[in-house]
Amino acid sequence: MDWNDIHQDLLQLILSNVFAKDRYNFSLVSRFWNEVVAASPYRNSPCLVLRSNDFWRFFQHNTFFNMHFPKLKNAKVRFSNHGWLLMMSLDNRTLFFFDPLNNQTIKLPDMPSECDYTTICFFHPPTSSDCLIVGIASLTWNVNHEVKIGVLKYGEDRWEDRVFHVRDLQFESHGPPVFHDGKIYFLDNKGNVAVFDMSNVFRPLIVHSWCLKKRRPHHRNIKEYFLVKPHGDETIFAVFVVQDERKVRVFKLMDGFKWGLVEDLGDMVFYVSNTSSFGYRTDKTNKNMANKIFFPKFHEDNVIFYSMETHKYHSFGGDYSSDNCYDFTRLNFATWIMPTRRDLQLPKQLFWCPHVEEIIA
């Protein structure tokens, strides 16, 4: 039998039921099979990752894939980027990177015992010398409010902390920040934007207040908020869930650090969660995903998205729609991950610094 004689529709069906490395191996069978993968909506499409007892579940295109990772026992996801998960062990001090598609791990120096970062993030692959891990902690004492920002640089084994005194910035969720032009941007539940310059950690933390116009009726009713910087785009967007989780509002950051309302995402799609948010422009293989915002929420066994066209929540792969999300299961500890096709890293690439022993799968 010639493998190229298999009908393309059947190959697409097979492809929808394989995941991660098996999908990569699928593309190596023949040139025709590789072309099927290249034209498939399953190619490098985002996955929602969540723990389920002793297994990790990867949800992609309305299909669940269960994977068992003993090394992740009792660990939780703190951030996701470039196909890597930043994990924290049960002791809340031990951090490590984990690539779930290649089952590889990079051990990291322990966090300071006295610090409990609200948000931990990174913006370059952990095998890159440009990688930095940034921790953000919110400290409130009576009327005083402080923000502690810690930085762990690639090749170093100690965190460098700075404490900033601010008046207008408050953390009430774990929305991930974004990296733009050498600076980290993050926001609070009032829509205020803080900017931290990564090129010089001794520069002050700059807080831009009243970024949302005072006359807008929604700014006092923000329940969830996320920053998104779409791949290949220089614009920073904010996604707000407002009015008792009934509506979703999208803004883009304008000159003067003011949020401008966005009515339509065009050909872009956003994926938001507490530990990972990203967006990108769709193409002909996935144009049906455009103008949508995907959340880590489910209605029965279907993931939920918000349509900027209908201004309603819909289930992916079903005909359910709603003006609100009262009936949804909200997965606060789930994270979106964009599978990245790459070869296995060499052992020498699984080092963070000489003082920390690498762990090889």
Side-chain angles (χ1 to χ4, degrees):
M1 176 182 177
D2 189 342
W3 293 109
N4 291 326
D5 291 338
I6 300 178
H7 196 276
Q8 185 170 340
D9 291 342
L10 179 57
L11 290 177
Q12 289 283 10
L13 178 61
I14 298 172
L15 189 61
S16 68
N17 288 277
V18 296
F19 184 66
K21 197 171 182 179
D22 291 334
R23 190 169 294 163
Y24 173 66
N25 293 334
F26 183 102
S27 68
L28 300 179
V29 172
S30 69
R31 179 177 296 178
F32 176 62
W33 283 37
N34 184 59
E35 292 173 353
V36 171
V37 173
S40 170
Y42 304 106
R43 176 180 59 91
N44 292 339
S45 57
C47 308
L48 186 65
V49 183
L50 58 146
R51 180 195 289 277
S52 179
N53 297 321
D54 292 334
F55 286 88
W56 289 80
R57 308 193 76 187
F58 291 74
F59 181 89
Q60 187 181 54
H61 283 273
N62 261 25
T63 301
F64 278 106
F65 301 91
N66 293 326
M67 303 181 74
H68 183 50
F69 300 119
K71 64 183 69 176
L72 299 188
K73 185 177 181 180
N74 297 324
K76 58 184 176 181
V77 178
R78 295 302 304 266
F79 199 72
S80 171
N81 205 352
H82 296 286
W84 289 85
L85 300 176
L86 181 58
M87 309 295 300
M88 177 173 283
S89 298
L90 190 62
D91 60 7
N92 287 328
R93 288 194 61 202
T94 304
L95 285 173
F96 59 95
F97 285 111
F98 182 70
D99 177 356
L101 305 186
N102 287 319
N103 196 18
Q104 289 190 304
T105 306
I106 299 176
K107 190 176 180 181
L108 296 169
D110 287 345
M111 287 174 43
S113 58
E114 70 279 3
C115 191
D116 184 15
Y117 294 121
T118 308
T119 299
I120 305 177
C121 53
F122 66 100
F123 303 101
H124 294 89
T127 55
S128 168
S129 59
D130 294 325
C131 187
L132 299 169
I133 303 174
V134 180
I136 304 169
S138 178
L139 309 171
T140 302
W141 308 98
N142 298 323
V143 295
N144 298 317
H145 191 75
E146 297 177 344
V147 173
K148 177 184 285 188
I149 297 181
V151 177
L152 179 65
K153 299 179 181 179
Y154 182 89
E156 298 185 1
D157 61 354
R158 291 185 179 182
W159 290 76
E160 186 175 5
D161 287 336
R162 286 291 312 280
V163 176
F164 302 91
H165 300 274
V166 296
R167 299 181 58 184
D168 298 308
L169 193 68
Q170 297 181 7
F171 291 113
E172 294 186 3
S173 81
H174 299 169
V178 299
F179 186 73
H180 173 66
D181 195 25
K183 301 177 179 66
I184 294 179
Y185 292 66
F186 50 99
L187 79 167
D188 67 1
N189 63 327
K190 296 178 181 179
N192 301 326
V193 179
V195 182
F196 179 62
D197 192 342
M198 291 298 300
S199 64
N200 188 343
V201 298
F202 293 101
R203 291 179 180 175
L205 176 73
I206 300 175
V207 179
H208 300 271
S209 304
W210 303 110
C211 299
L212 280 173
K213 293 182 179 180
K214 295 173 63 175
R215 65 176 180 266
R216 292 196 183 277
H218 309 304
H219 83 282
R220 294 183 180 178
N221 301 306
I222 297 174
K223 306 300 180 182
E224 298 177 77
Y225 49 95
F226 309 92
L227 283 178
V228 180
K229 185 175 180 293
H231 179 70
D233 202 301
E234 294 301 311
T235 306
I236 296 176
F237 294 85
V239 177
F240 296 110
V241 181
V242 298
Q243 288 186 322
D244 202 19
E245 301 192 62
R246 293 186 180 184
K247 293 295 181 182
V248 175
R249 295 287 183 265
V250 178
F251 295 83
K252 65 179 179 180
L253 196 59
M254 313 286 286
D255 292 339
F257 282 85
K258 299 298 181 183
W259 290 114
L261 186 64
V262 175
E263 301 284 357
D264 190 288
L265 295 180
D267 60 353
M268 290 189 296
V269 57
F270 290 172
Y271 295 82
V272 299
S273 69
N274 288 339
T275 50
S276 177
S277 294
F278 54 84
Y280 58 87
R281 296 190 180 278
T282 58
D283 55 28
K284 62 181 181 180
T285 65
N286 57 2
K287 61 182 179 180
N288 63 315
M289 310 291 281
N291 212 23
K292 297 177 175 62
I293 303 171
F294 284 80
F295 290 88
K297 301 175 182 179
F298 280 81
H299 178 262
E300 296 179 349
D301 288 330
N302 296 307
V303 74
I304 291 297
F305 66 86
Y306 184 86
S307 170
M308 294 291 288
E309 179 180 359
T310 65
H311 302 291
K312 290 184 177 182
Y313 293 94
H314 300 267
S315 61
F316 184 75
D319 56 1
Y320 174 84
S321 65
S322 175
D323 291 325
N324 58 67
C325 56
Y326 295 147
D327 296 329
F328 301 161
T329 301
R330 181 173 165 178
L331 303 173
N332 291 328
F333 298 101
T335 188
W336 290 103
I337 182 173
M338 176 67 81
T340 302
R341 175 175 161 177
R342 59 172 170 264
D343 295 330
L344 287 171
Q345 303 295 318
L346 298 174
K348 65 180 181 180
Q349 295 175 300
L350 298 176
F351 269 111
W352 180 263
C353 69
H355 303 293
V356 180
E357 181 183 359
E358 79 275 21
I359 301 175
I360 305 174

